[in-house]
Each structure stands twice: as structure tokens, then as C-alpha cells.
Amino acid sequence: MNSKICAVLAILFLLASVCLAADKPISDDLIIDQVRIKLSADAEVKGGALGVDCKQGVVTLSGSVESPRQKDKAAKLTKKIKGVKQVINNIEIKKHG
């Protein structure tokens, strides 16, 4: 009986530690890295040259793209990154002509 109680307590302790770890905030540096990877990997955005900054989960995007669609998609991809609270989209659209 005693060993069952110990096993249950051990499981509860493990679950509690996992739950606490899940609430740990994600660092701004990690968010920046994840956003850069996501934008660079996207065939439409081609975001390798875009600037990414993050302060307390608020991501600011900068640089320029060819179309409004690329600008919008960059913001949408960024919002999907875990830990991103807000996106400030300062990306400019290149003028042709």
C-alpha cells in the first residue's frame, strides 16, 4: 500500500513539474531565431533579408518585400510562433518603376 502511495505521489510530482515548465516564458532571442527560420523557409515570403526584433514577446518586422501579399504572410507566420504576443509589421513594399 505504501509503495502505491509513493508511486502516485511521484507521478503527481512529475506532472506538476511538467506543468510548471510549460508556463516558463520563452526568451526573446529564441523567438527571433524561430521567426527568422520560419520566414526564411517560406517560399513566398523569402524572408532571409527581413529584420526581426523582439522585446518581451512583441516582434517588430522590418525590411522590404515585392508585394503586399508577402508582407501580410510574414506577419501571419510570425504570429504563429510560440511566445509571440504581438507583431509590429514595418515591412515596406518595394516600388517598381
Side-chain angles (χ1 to χ4, degrees):
M1 183 72 162
N2 215 8
S3 63
K4 286 183 181 180
I5 292 172
C6 288
V8 169
L9 287 175
I11 290 170
L12 288 174
F13 178 75
L14 274 169
L15 287 173
S17 63
V18 168
C19 289
L20 290 174
D23 291 341
K24 185 177 177 184
I26 298 171
S27 75
D28 289 339
D29 290 337
L30 180 59
I31 292 172
I32 290 170
D33 290 344
Q34 293 299 313
V35 170
R36 285 182 177 155
I37 289 167
K38 193 76 153 177
L39 295 179
S40 296
D42 188 81
E44 185 178 353
V45 175
K46 304 170 193 153
L50 293 176
V52 180
D53 190 31
C54 184
K55 288 188 177 58
Q56 297 179 342
V58 178
V59 177
T60 303
L61 301 175
S62 60
S64 60
V65 293
E66 299 289 328
S67 72
R69 184 176 168 129
Q70 289 173 306
K71 177 179 178 173
D72 293 341
K73 186 156 186 198
K76 285 179 187 173
L77 291 171
T78 301
K79 287 177 187 174
K80 292 181 180 180
I81 302 295
K82 186 174 181 178
V84 173
K85 296 176 185 170
Q86 180 183 353
V87 177
I88 299 169
N89 194 345
N90 290 337
I91 296 174
E92 296 181 2
I93 297 159
K94 294 178 186 173
K95 304 233 191 274
H96 297 284

